[in-house]
Amino acid sequence: MIELTRREVLKGMAGLGAAGALPHILSGSAQAQTTKKRELVVAQGGDISKFDPHFSTSSNDIRVSFNIFDNLTSRHPNGKLYPGLATEWKLEGQTTYRFKLRPGVKWHNGDPFTSADAKFSIERTYDAAAKTMVATALSTIDRIEAPDPLTLVIHTKKPDPLLPARLAFYGGQVVPKKYLEAVGNDAFNAKPVGTGPVRFVSWVKDDKLVLEANPAYWGGKIDADRVVVRSIPEAAPRIAALLKGEVDVITQLPPDHGERVAGNSATKVQGALYAGLYVLAVNSKRPPLDNPLVKQALSLAIDRDAIVKELWRGRGIVPSGPIAKGDNHFDPSLPPLAYNPTEARERLKKAGYKNEEVFIETTVAYVSNDKTMAEAIVAMWRDAGINAKVEVIEYSVRAQKNREKSFKGMFWSDPTSTLGDPDGMMWRLLGPGGPQDYWRQPRFDELGNAARFSVDEKFRGGAYREMTKIFLENFPWIPVIQPYEDYGVQKYVEWTPNPNQQFEIRRFNFKFHRA
Amino acid sequence: MRGFLPFLGHRLFRALIALWLVSTVVFVVMRLSGDPVPLLLPPDAPHSEILRVRAELGLDRPLPTQYGVFLGNVARGDFGRSIHFREPAFRVVLGYLPATFELGLTAFGLAVVIAVPIGLLSAMRRNSFLDHASMGLALVGQSAPTFFLGILFILLLSLKAGLFPTSGRGDWTHLVLPALTLGAFSMASIARLTRSAILEVLRADYIRTARAKGLSELLVVAKHTLKNAAIPIVTITGLQFGTLLGGAVVTETVFSWPGIGRLAIQSIYNRDYPVVQCTVFLSAAMFVVINFLVDVSYGLLDPRIRSH
């Protein structure tokens, strides 16, 4: 119904910018790089839908739930796992993990945190009666014991090298057993109680969420008394709110707006290399995409450097394969995916390509720059002699096609590395029965399965190297870019974004510069 | 007011038919447009999960059954539970209504207070500078896309001049820019229509008579013109009021104003059937009520209509 895309805003803003209305508007107090503020205001592109962390995986929700709640383990912005509500853990044998829990932690309502909460919380995620939206997140678990209040023993069905990583991401937020059982799901969702650095105060939908600092937080009280989360859906007003100093941090800063934020004396751009890739996922069952040579040609005909430079203003890197930079088993010796249109034509000839139509069904702003990139890529493909076409589909149509696996050719996907490991990315999505299972190769499947259930990292490294090789011959995804996820931040805020969209406001990660 | 009760009964009956039709169309169109479940679950959720959640939400039942349940519930004022928020849809929509009324009423007030006098003055000073300037502005107001206008206001009046906040809801300063943006189109429409309605009346014989018998221009306008030009003005004003209350999708999105227009559009994207149905039903109901009030006001304004 609204045909207003981000693009149009940008055009509007560009026009106004040209008219001289824009930069260097701020002066005086806004230029201060220190602050006396006790309130952190964050603006994101969409509102929260639910507070119960087991009922949502949307990025707008988890930015909040990872701060109201804690996980047993915690993935910091540097990509490494750290203690959370568990202080240490070790693998005993192949399938048993023993977690030591943090003593003295209290829920926001004053109840003590114990292993009974952790057991209840994890079991709740896959309990059929609880009907959560994260039923598969921790389904490798067979059973859990809580022998004493500060010990948790988890038995997995098969060896699971990634259990501590799984517990750090969605589904792993620990909820309070006693409170939840007393008030029920709805009341808990309306008034959540966690152990995290902020506690819930009030929420007016699509207006603002108010949180206050938990003074007794085990990780130390954060450097603010209150945190306010606002939703400003359009990029232009979101940036205006930052430039005017109404908000301290904005999420989803489009790459072509970075210069405005960086060029303003009071604000800066803060980015994290996305823990994942933007890829064109391929329906490899549809001819001519069932022919690996055609897919190799498609990949070779994309000038990714130009896309990074022109469409992303340099805010991204060219991927080398299916594993995101920063993940376990990423191979730094692999070269970036090559651009060679001559070779692309050769492979098309070898493939016996007969000018069949090749489609990209693109969304608009499902991932940033999707439509623009699709148009650019199709132009590159046509130059290489491929009969390529773009079709635009709406987000929920994409969801439907995704479920029915009925895409006509290629479609945008932004596989997130949920576990900092290829298992949580390529194998989760491309594996047999996965949501992007359009292509099978016996050796690839054998290795993916073996790596999933092995606790021998050396073996896993070898398996992912070989899988990468098979991937680069078959291209079940055509990786396009690993972008930076940029935030606009006031200079008086010191904060490091997390590559996987967790938005951690904790003492180790956030501070106001004081005069 | 002879026959007012039958008139009322007739209107009420037609209103119910209209509401039933609107609800049915929304019900059918929403279900044709897609499934909410894949949007709720993580992208890697297996098919069995999707089936389970569909069954939980009652979406696995045949459409006629779902429709029967829906109609029965609506008759009792129950619009079901929001799929997205997991709370009663009616309560969700109710939470958004105050913001919508606040913005809609302000925009409407601004539009009427500014547009009617401008239209009147333009008609009385036809072809003057005032007439040309205000009708030119009205043309801009009618043709400038709301989106462009909103961003323009933010950049000029908020960011550059620093007069108002950029977005969000709060004290009265938060209200100015969205109300101006939202009211611009209505203002322009009302001003132009007021001008032409007044011009029409000013050409009438009885005005010539009034002037001929030596009445002052002020009296001519106040006593003879305004009341006779009122019907088209009240009609367009009423319709504009309905539109303003029906939710202002674009304005609310640009200014992140928490009103039902924004709720409606997000609920459509989320395929949150119950919330969409409830929003549309309430908007349609408001429209029906306003139309009814406009109809009744005709009777008050024009004795000829009353006697029919």
Side-chain angles (χ1 to χ4, degrees), chain A residues 176-466:
Chain A
K177 176 174 195 282
K178 195 174 141 199
Y179 175 72
L180 217 162
E181 285 181 338
V183 302
N185 278 352
D186 286 355
F188 174 67
N189 186 45
K191 208 172 176 308
V193 164
T195 56
V198 291
R199 54 191 184 200
F200 176 84
V201 177
S202 67
W203 178 45
V204 179
K205 288 191 189 74
D206 277 319
D207 187 6
K208 64 177 170 197
L209 162 71
V210 180
L211 303 160
E212 65 180 359
N214 172 4
Y217 186 56
W218 57 264
K221 180 180 178 271
I222 58 167
D223 191 21
D225 296 335
R226 299 205 322 162
V227 176
V228 172
V229 182
R230 289 179 49 190
S231 121
I232 307 182
E234 284 299 329
R238 198 159 66 239
I239 293 162
L242 178 79
L243 296 181
K244 189 152 180 279
E246 290 172 10
V247 304
D248 304 310
V249 178
I250 60 170
T251 67
Q252 293 131 296
L253 177 65
D256 38 2
H257 276 15
E259 285 158 26
R260 285 193 66 209
V261 172
N264 174 45
S265 60
T267 55
K268 61 185 172 180
V269 175
Q270 193 101 46
L273 193 60
Y274 173 52
L277 300 171
Y278 285 9
V279 305
L280 284 167
V282 187
N283 182 351
S284 301
K285 291 185 171 149
R286 287 271 181 126
L289 300 172
D290 54 346
N291 186 338
L293 283 169
V294 171
K295 291 187 281 181
Q296 290 169 18
L298 290 173
S299 176
L300 283 166
I302 301 175
D303 184 354
R304 295 174 177 85
D305 279 323
I307 290 176
V308 170
K309 216 171 125 216
E310 301 300 330
L311 300 180
W312 287 85
R313 310 279 166 103
R315 300 300 292 159
I317 59 172
V318 176
S320 60
I323 302 176
K325 184 177 178 184
D327 271 11
N328 296 338
H329 309 300
F330 170 78
D331 180 355
S333 68
L334 271 183
L337 291 171
Y339 169 55
N340 188 341
T342 324
E343 180 59 31
R345 282 178 185 276
E346 282 302 309
R347 299 218 182 157
L348 286 175
K349 210 183 285 168
K350 225 160 104 189
Y353 173 66
K354 290 190 202 55
N355 209 37
E356 295 101 324
E357 283 184 325
V358 168
F359 289 96
I360 298 180
E361 286 175 289
T362 184
T363 30
V364 181
Y366 166 65
V367 301
S368 30
N369 275 337
D370 44 8
K371 183 160 168 273
T372 337
M373 285 195 291
E375 283 160 353
I377 289 170
V378 160
M380 292 167 187
W381 283 347
R382 297 187 84 89
D383 286 347
I386 300 158
N387 182 10
K389 292 211 163 83
V390 183
E391 283 186 7
V392 176
I393 56 174
E394 199 245 321
Y395 170 56
S396 55
V397 174
R398 183 197 176 281
Q400 186 108 358
K401 285 185 171 245
N402 193 40
R403 182 165 71 81
E404 292 164 354
K405 294 199 164 64
S406 59
F407 288 103
K408 287 157 91 170
M410 284 156 282
F411 56 99
W412 286 110
S413 178
D414 59 344
T416 311
S417 171
T418 54
L419 308 172
D421 187 279
D423 181 80
M425 190 163 136
M426 71 163 148
W427 190 243
R428 169 174 69 94
L429 296 162
L430 295 173
Q436 293 171 2
D437 168 6
Y438 295 93
W439 161 84
R440 297 268 53 94
Q441 207 264 17
R443 180 67 182 155
F444 187 83
D445 291 358
E446 186 190 327
L447 290 164
N449 234 337
R452 165 162 286 187
F453 298 119
S454 166
V455 287
D456 175 357
E457 284 305 322
K458 216 172 137 212
F459 166 78
R460 298 183 76 236
Y464 289 125
R465 256 196 308 283
E466 197 180 334

Side-chain angles (χ1 to χ4, degrees), chain A residues 155-171:
Chain A
H155 301 276
T156 54
K157 292 170 186 159
K158 289 184 180 175
D160 179 5
L162 296 171
L163 183 73
R166 282 181 220 288
L167 289 168
F169 207 52
Y170 57 55

